[in-house]
Amino acid sequence: MKKLFVSLFAMTLALTSCSSNDEETTTKTPATGEITGTITENKTLPYGNYTLKGMVKVAAGVTLTIEAGSTITADKTTGDNGLVILNGGKLIAVGTADAPIVFTEKSKIPGSWAGIIMYGDAPIVNSSTNPAPQTATSEDGLALTYGGSNATHNGGTLKYVRVEYAGQIITTNSKEHNGFSFYSVGSGTVLENLVSYMGNDDGFEFYGGTVSGKNLVSYGNKDDSFDWQDGWRGQDNTNWYAYQTGVGNYGMEIESKGVNNNFGPKVVGITLKRAAGTTTESQSEIQLDAIQFKKEGNGDYSNIVIDGYKNQTTPTAYNGGVLQVLDLNTYNNQIAGGKIKLNNLKISNCDNTFISGVSTFTLSANSFNPTTNWTTSTTATGATLTSGAWATVNGVNLLGNL
């Protein structure tokens, strides 16, 4: 009996060990498929590798869910491709640091597809001071109306999502795309740990709205790293990192349709870096500064690290620097008016601190200084981010220069 008990115990232990090992070594087979057309009913894409074909739209009242670790690939040879979340629709794309959700393009050429575009009905401003809910028409070629009064609009949850090689430009100012485009998206939407990589236009653009973004990385985008207009007013933004390399314009381009607002966004923890030799996208415009304010843009920004915004000598000589103000109204109403706050800035490797943007603005480089709400320091930390697969492309850690 004793020998039998020992044998049974040994067999049970062996079976248990095998079962445990089997569970540890089991790998999940990725699903495959094509995403196309308008999604008109709730849909979940299990972990897998998918092809995105055409301008795919998520209809109002419909939720598209994408599981962690999935890769969605567009192919520019099939025409215009992009993922559009219409007002009332939702995208639930929740990856992890080790298993991000990646949207990419087959050719790996910047500007090959439209990226992720989300619509809401949160407030915007337009070309007047009318306090009534205002609307505008999108510049993405879809010519959709955006804007409204729903400040808490919820377009879903995006966590650990990377968009690569987007920023398609068809016709300047009438059909342009970014890595992420948020049209009047509301504060009920969650945006965390997002990467816009090697696009041909802006990394992130906010067209009004109240949404906020945490842990955002804009890497190698050829226009602006972060851009907004229409009175965007997100209040809970933290840890933004821009790295401009090769070709790039502003680290942040800030405007408000010429409307002198009493509100603006708030961002805490910003790092803006420009690699040596990076030139402007267009040689006809002065676009190589860390931060540009124009058309009454404003906001509250703190704990900022700025590095590498130097003068450009070739192919066209331009002054580079930290802060550019493009027009006198913005200087008078926003800077002198105390509506632009830039505090705790750590500046290095920049040739100029203050630059005026146009010849009719008589203040020359380094000749003006915000009288209030401007402080520099040597202790600012900027963005604080943790490396992982979510911020690694082709074996390169995108946070390596942070």
Side-chain angles (χ1 to χ4, degrees), residues 324-345:
Q324 179 186 142
V325 179
L326 193 61
D327 57 271
L328 190 56
N329 280 342
T330 300
Y331 181 82
N332 287 336
N333 295 331
Q334 306 305 322
I335 287 183
K339 298 176 185 178
I340 291 176
K341 300 177 182 180
L342 292 158
N343 290 298
N344 194 20
L345 286 84

Side-chain angles (χ1 to χ4, degrees), residues 83-384:
L83 180 60
V84 182
I85 315 303
L86 298 174
N87 181 25
K90 288 185 180 180
L91 173 62
I92 307 297
V94 179
T96 67
D98 295 329
I101 296 170
V102 179
F103 290 81
T104 190
E105 198 278 330
K106 186 177 180 181
S107 71
K108 300 187 183 301
I109 297 174
S112 293
W113 70 295
I116 295 177
I117 305 170
M118 181 178 289
Y119 283 89
D121 54 357
I124 69 168
V125 299
N126 210 319
S127 56
S128 73
T129 56
N130 181 359
Q134 297 178 52
T135 60
T137 301
S138 66
E139 62 181 36
D140 54 7
L142 300 175
L144 297 178
T145 299
Y146 65 97
S149 57
N150 181 16
T152 59
H153 157 264
N154 182 352
T157 300
L158 282 67
K159 293 184 178 182
Y160 293 103
V161 175
R162 186 168 71 243
V163 169
E164 303 174 350
Y165 312 112
Q168 185 179 36
I169 302 176
I170 308 299
T171 305
T172 301
N173 295 325
S174 62
K175 192 174 182 181
E176 299 183 7
H177 304 108
N178 309 290
F180 294 87
S181 302
F182 299 109
Y183 285 94
S184 59
V185 173
S187 61
T189 309
V190 176
L191 307 176
E192 295 181 6
N193 294 88
L194 308 183
V195 176
S196 181
Y197 176 80
M198 288 294 179
N200 199 48
D201 206 283
D202 302 325
F204 297 83
E205 183 151 8
F206 299 90
Y207 300 84
T210 55
V211 69
S212 296
K214 299 179 179 180
N215 306 332
L216 305 186
V217 178
S218 181
Y219 189 102
N221 293 293
K222 296 184 183 299
D223 195 352
D224 309 313
S225 298
F226 301 97
D227 189 352
W228 56 93
Q229 56 181 290
D230 299 317
W232 173 62
R233 62 195 84 178
Q235 294 297 301
D236 194 21
N237 302 281
T238 58
N239 295 322
W240 285 18
Y241 173 48
Y243 187 73
Q244 297 180 293
T245 180
V247 174
N249 293 334
Y250 301 114
M252 301 194 306
E253 185 179 35
I254 301 165
E255 65 169 287
S256 190
K257 286 287 182 69
V259 180
N260 183 10
N261 296 313
N262 291 318
F263 57 80
K266 182 176 181 179
V267 189
V268 178
I270 303 168
T271 298
L272 306 175
K273 291 193 174 184
R274 190 177 181 92
T278 301
T279 61
T280 62
E281 180 185 34
S282 171
Q283 296 309 309
S284 63
E285 299 181 62
I286 306 172
Q287 296 186 325
L288 63 161
D289 304 301
I291 305 172
Q292 185 214 56
F293 290 95
K294 65 179 181 180
K295 298 181 181 178
E296 306 282 11
N298 60 22
D300 184 348
Y301 313 93
S302 61
N303 188 16
I304 306 166
V305 171
I306 296 176
D307 179 81
Y309 289 83
K310 300 182 69 65
N311 295 342
Q312 175 181 300
T313 56
T314 59
T316 305
Y318 286 133
N319 285 337
V322 175
L323 174 62
Q324 179 186 142
V325 179
L326 193 61
D327 57 271
L328 190 56
N329 280 342
T330 300
Y331 181 82
N332 287 336
N333 295 331
Q334 306 305 322
I335 287 183
K339 298 176 185 178
I340 291 176
K341 300 177 182 180
L342 292 158
N343 290 298
N344 194 20
L345 286 84
K346 181 179 180 181
I347 301 168
S348 59
N349 197 29
C350 296
D351 289 326
N352 303 285
T353 303
F354 307 111
I355 296 177
S356 60
V358 292
S359 59
T360 54
F361 189 4
T362 57
L363 298 173
S364 61
N366 286 324
S367 70
F368 71 95
N369 189 331
T371 55
T372 59
N373 298 317
W374 168 274
T375 59
T376 60
S377 77
T378 59
T379 59
T381 58
T384 302

Side-chain angles (χ1 to χ4, degrees), residues 30-47:
T32 59
E34 183 178 90
I35 311 168
T36 190
T38 298
I39 300 173
T40 57
E41 58 183 22
N42 293 343
K43 186 177 184 64
T44 296
L45 299 177
Y47 159 70

